[in-house]
């Protein structure tokens, strides 16, 4: 009976299998369909601008250190998100947010974690507002700016306005592993001087205006030098536009997102600086634009894959490297169509 070549026997195979399972458990699911293993940052890790120590806040910890409470009704949920101090708010089941006098937008106070339990937690009919009331006269971060918010594992749908709105110099926000669909306006809008935000591992579908970053062309006094946001490993699943649509932002990092059947991907205008890295675009009319509406932005692209797209990614100027602020590992764009649908959305954490 012939002997096995060195490193190919049954014992070696068992050892390799065990090692593979251990690595998979540590760094996330393997991409078996393509034979490519996810090697970069773990699927549940917080990465990006929300981790940066700035503005008196050491990263984003949400309600850590506060009580853990469970919200199963509208009244309970609205009570907990309005309380002062840190809270971890566990959402169970489907909660309807009333329209009332606020067009369905409900304020979240600082130091909150809002996290769904299981795969069925949902907020429907309204949205969450993270930020003080709008004032054009405020042009620098106020001492009482809303900050330190985590929102994870929630299905948002049917909002009469935005599903999540971040405004008025709010900072250190992590929006992760949610599902967004069928809202009347934005899915996640970030504007009016907000800063140090990460939007990761979310699924957007059956929705038009997805991600707005800066609300209009007159927002420079509040937005210039701010709006530092990381968008990574999101699944833009036939959502239409604004992935994101950017004005003025200092540094925006868009990496490892999966774009499928969209009218356009990213638009950089009004001298915003956007790095578009290792994304996968399938059937996207305009994956990336700097010639859009208004003044031109800056956009640097590297490592992206375009399939059945009608236009190339437009580039212009230079952009500050995100590694100036934080460390990260980018997956190869070729792995994105497998790992992102498998990991994005609710019920995955």
């Amino acid at each position: 009976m012939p002997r096995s070549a060195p490193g190919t026997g049954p014992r070696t195979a068992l050892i390799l299998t065990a090692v593979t399972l251990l690595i998979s458990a540590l760094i996330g699911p393997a991409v078996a369909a393509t034979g490519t293993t996810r090697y970069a940052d773990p699927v549940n890790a917080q990465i990006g601008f929300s981790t940066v120590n700035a503005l008196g806040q050491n990263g984003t910890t949400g309600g850590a250190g506060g009580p853990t409470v469970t919200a199963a009704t509208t009244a309970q949920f609205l009570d907990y998100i309005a309380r002062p101090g840190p809270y971890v708010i566990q959402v169970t089941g489907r909660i309807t947010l009333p329209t009332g006098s606020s067009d369905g937008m409900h304020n979240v106070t600082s130091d909150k974690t809002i996290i769904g339990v299981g795969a069925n937690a949902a907020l429907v009919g309204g949205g969450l507002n993270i930020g003080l009331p709008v004032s054009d006269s405020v042009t620098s971060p106020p001492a009482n700016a809303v900050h330190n918010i985590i929102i994870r594992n929630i299905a948002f749908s049917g909002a009469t306005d935005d599903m999540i709105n971040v405004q008025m110099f709010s900072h250190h926000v992590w929006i992760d592993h949610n599902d967004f669909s069928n809202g009347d306006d934005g899915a996640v809008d970030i504007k009016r001087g907000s800063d140090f935000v990460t939007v990761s591992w979310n699924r957007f579908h059956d929705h038009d205006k997805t991600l707005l970053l800066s609300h209009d062309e007159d927002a420079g006094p509040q937005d210039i030098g701010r709006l530092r946001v990381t968008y990574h490993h999101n699944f833009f699943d036939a959502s239409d536009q604004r992935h994101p649509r950017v004005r003025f932002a200092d540094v925006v990092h868009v990496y490892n997102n999966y774009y499928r059947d969209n009218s356009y991907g990213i638009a950089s205008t009004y001298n915003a600086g956007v790095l578009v890295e290792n994304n996968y675009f399938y059937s996207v009319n305009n994956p990336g634009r700097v010639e859009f509406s208004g003044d031109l932005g800056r956009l640097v692209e590297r490592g992206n894959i375009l399939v059945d797209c009608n236009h190339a990614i437009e580039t212009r100027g230079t952009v500050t490297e995100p590694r100036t602020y934080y460390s990260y590992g980018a997956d190869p764009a070729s792995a994105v169509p497998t790992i992102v649908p498998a990991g994005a959305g609710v019920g995955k954490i």
Side-chain angles (χ1 to χ4, degrees):
M1 181 175 178
R3 296 179 63 186
S4 299
T8 62
R11 185 170 180 272
T12 300
L14 288 172
I15 293 171
L16 289 174
T17 299
V19 170
T20 299
L21 290 173
L22 177 60
I23 291 172
S24 178
L26 290 172
I27 69 173
V31 187
T34 63
T36 304
T37 300
R38 173 166 166 47
Y39 71 88
D41 300 309
V43 68
N44 285 324
Q46 185 181 170
I47 307 295
F49 277 112
S50 65
T51 68
V52 174
N53 297 339
L55 300 176
Q57 178 68 33
N58 294 329
T60 302
T61 57
T68 297
V69 296
T70 299
T73 68
T74 301
Q76 289 172 335
F77 181 76
L78 295 180
D79 174 24
Y80 291 138
I81 66 172
R83 291 185 181 186
Y87 277 84
V88 176
I89 304 165
Q90 297 181 329
V91 177
T92 63
R94 180 183 176 94
I95 294 176
T96 298
L97 298 178
T99 302
S101 60
S102 61
D103 201 18
M105 299 302 296
H106 300 276
N107 293 329
V108 180
T109 57
S110 296
D111 305 311
K112 299 293 182 293
T113 295
I114 301 170
I115 186 166
V117 177
N120 300 310
L123 296 175
V124 301
L128 302 181
N129 182 67
I130 300 170
L132 300 171
V134 168
S135 173
D136 289 330
S137 65
V138 179
T139 56
S140 61
N144 62 337
V146 178
H147 61 279
N148 197 27
I149 305 292
I150 296 173
I151 302 173
R152 305 184 76 197
N153 200 41
I154 305 285
F156 292 83
S157 64
T160 53
D161 195 346
D162 299 330
M163 287 181 270
I164 296 180
N165 174 57
V166 183
Q167 68 177 21
M168 288 305 297
F169 303 93
S170 294
H171 59 92
H172 290 90
V173 179
W174 183 28
I175 299 168
D176 177 74
H177 277 97
N178 302 290
D179 186 283
F180 296 91
S181 65
N182 292 302
D184 277 1
D185 198 357
V188 178
D189 285 2
I190 303 168
K191 57 196 182 186
R192 293 183 178 275
S194 297
D195 217 351
F196 300 107
V197 180
T198 295
V199 180
S200 57
W201 292 102
N202 302 286
R203 179 182 176 226
F204 301 88
H205 61 100
D206 299 296
H207 189 76
D208 181 15
K209 300 173 182 177
T210 308
L211 303 172
L212 184 67
L213 187 54
S214 180
H215 68 289
D216 68 26
E217 57 272 16
D218 296 321
Q222 292 181 325
D223 290 347
I224 291 172
R226 302 184 179 95
L227 299 180
R228 284 165 282 206
V229 180
T230 304
Y231 300 95
H232 74 87
H233 291 94
N234 298 290
F235 185 15
F236 300 115
D237 187 8
S239 49
D240 187 43
Q241 59 175 315
R242 299 183 179 179
H243 305 101
R245 193 259 193 262
V246 186
R247 302 177 181 92
F248 299 112
D250 186 34
V251 188
V252 182
H253 192 193
V254 182
Y255 79 95
N256 279 159
N257 300 284
Y258 182 29
Y259 294 82
R260 188 187 71 83
D261 288 336
N262 320 110
S263 64
Y264 79 85
I266 304 121
S268 177
T269 62
Y270 288 89
N271 201 40
V274 183
L275 172 61
V276 179
E277 180 179 19
N278 287 29
N279 302 282
Y280 193 102
F281 297 87
Y282 174 78
S283 187
V284 180
N285 184 39
N286 279 287
R289 308 186 68 178
V290 293
E291 293 189 19
F292 194 62
S293 173
D295 297 344
L296 301 179
R298 293 170 288 122
L299 191 153
V300 172
E301 73 94 9
R302 64 183 180 223
N304 300 285
I305 293 177
L306 280 61
V307 177
D308 290 342
C309 297
N310 293 327
H311 302 277
I313 297 174
E314 299 173 6
T315 61
R316 177 177 179 266
T318 60
V319 177
T320 301
E321 279 289 334
R323 284 192 175 89
T324 302
Y325 292 90
Y326 57 84
S327 299
Y328 69 97
D331 292 303
S334 59
V336 164
T338 303
I339 63 173
V340 169
V346 298
K348 309 291 179 66
I349 61 173

